[in-house]
Amino acid sequence: AKVLQSVLVRIGPIEHITPLHIRRMCAGDADYCLIKARQLSRGDLVQGKMRCSECGETLDIEFSMADLITNELSEDERKVVIDGKLGFTIPDGLIEGVSASFRYQIFEDTIVVAKLRKIAPGNIRHQLFANCCLKWNDEKIPLAANFFSRMPQRILGVIEDEFLSRAPGPELDIDVPCGECGWLNTVDLDKSDFFFPQRQNRRKRL
């Protein structure tokens, strides 16, 4: 939040930007602003090294910030406002017997996720869904994280797929193949500290 507040001079009509404005930004918008700030301060090219998560081989990382894919909401999607928040509704029938709506993630959610990653990583998805849920049948909102922790994995997967397919903003995953063993390492740029990204590798077979 401090990085964004130090580089942003205006958000729409707002010129006096406070930490609260930053925390309530759409997470995708915040990520996009961080990318632009990174380009202006350090240039477009990103270079580094990492170790293959499978064989330990040292790999070179090099990519252009301009090549990062950015997902944008359509004009119709930007018109979907639920309880004063930009969001989406789970399509009818996708989860049997459920009528549900969610807001998009905001920057404050990424702060919560960063804290949970250190103390309770298994609760991240449940807490995020609880924070973003605007409607779930006739349940009283806000919901607790354990409301989602009790759900079948199939339903949680449907919700997650909806978030991933709809969420605006840049995709901060970089694939780095290992020429030595054939594994594909995916580097996740840490959204909470983009200027000094911590590389977290997950492996996939090429």
Side-chain angles (χ1 to χ4, degrees), residues 20-147:
L20 183 60
H21 292 129
I22 300 296
R23 293 170 75 94
R24 291 183 175 175
M25 284 182 69
C26 177
D29 291 340
D31 290 342
Y32 184 80
C33 290
L34 284 171
I35 283 178
K36 290 303 178 183
R38 170 62 168 76
Q39 285 178 303
L40 290 173
S41 64
R42 298 189 178 186
D44 190 63
L45 187 65
V46 177
Q47 294 175 308
K49 292 184 181 295
M50 63 170 288
R51 288 194 177 278
C52 175
S53 57
E54 176 64 16
C55 70
E57 181 75 8
T58 299
L59 308 176
D60 292 320
I61 302 174
E62 182 174 308
F63 65 92
S64 168
M65 303 289 286
D67 291 337
L68 292 175
I69 298 172
T70 300
N71 301 316
E72 298 183 10
L73 294 179
S74 68
E75 186 174 343
D76 288 340
E77 287 173 324
R78 288 190 175 276
K79 295 177 182 178
V80 180
V81 178
I82 306 167
D83 293 339
K85 302 177 178 65
L86 191 66
F88 62 92
T89 296
I90 300 292
D92 291 340
L94 200 58
I95 304 176
E96 186 176 356
V98 171
S99 175
S101 299
F102 293 83
R103 65 167 171 77
Y104 292 108
Q105 296 177 51
I106 58 176
F107 189 73
E108 188 168 22
D109 294 323
T110 68
I111 298 173
V112 172
V113 166
K115 292 179 179 178
L116 283 176
R117 185 175 288 120
K118 297 177 181 179
I119 59 175
N123 294 336
I124 289 176
R125 184 167 61 165
H126 307 141
Q127 187 62 61
L128 184 59
F129 291 167
N131 289 355
C132 296
C133 187
L134 301 175
K135 180 182 184 297
W136 190 280
N137 288 343
D138 296 324
E139 297 288 339
K140 185 178 180 180
I141 301 298
L143 297 172
N146 63 9
F147 178 84

Side-chain angles (χ1 to χ4, degrees), residues 133-162:
C133 187
L134 301 175
K135 180 182 184 297
W136 190 280
N137 288 343
D138 296 324
E139 297 288 339
K140 185 178 180 180
I141 301 298
L143 297 172
N146 63 9
F147 178 84
F148 290 96
S149 68
R150 297 192 299 265
M151 285 186 183
Q153 289 298 317
R154 179 187 61 81
I155 294 179
L156 293 175
V158 169
I159 300 172
E160 185 169 19
D161 287 345
E162 287 294 301

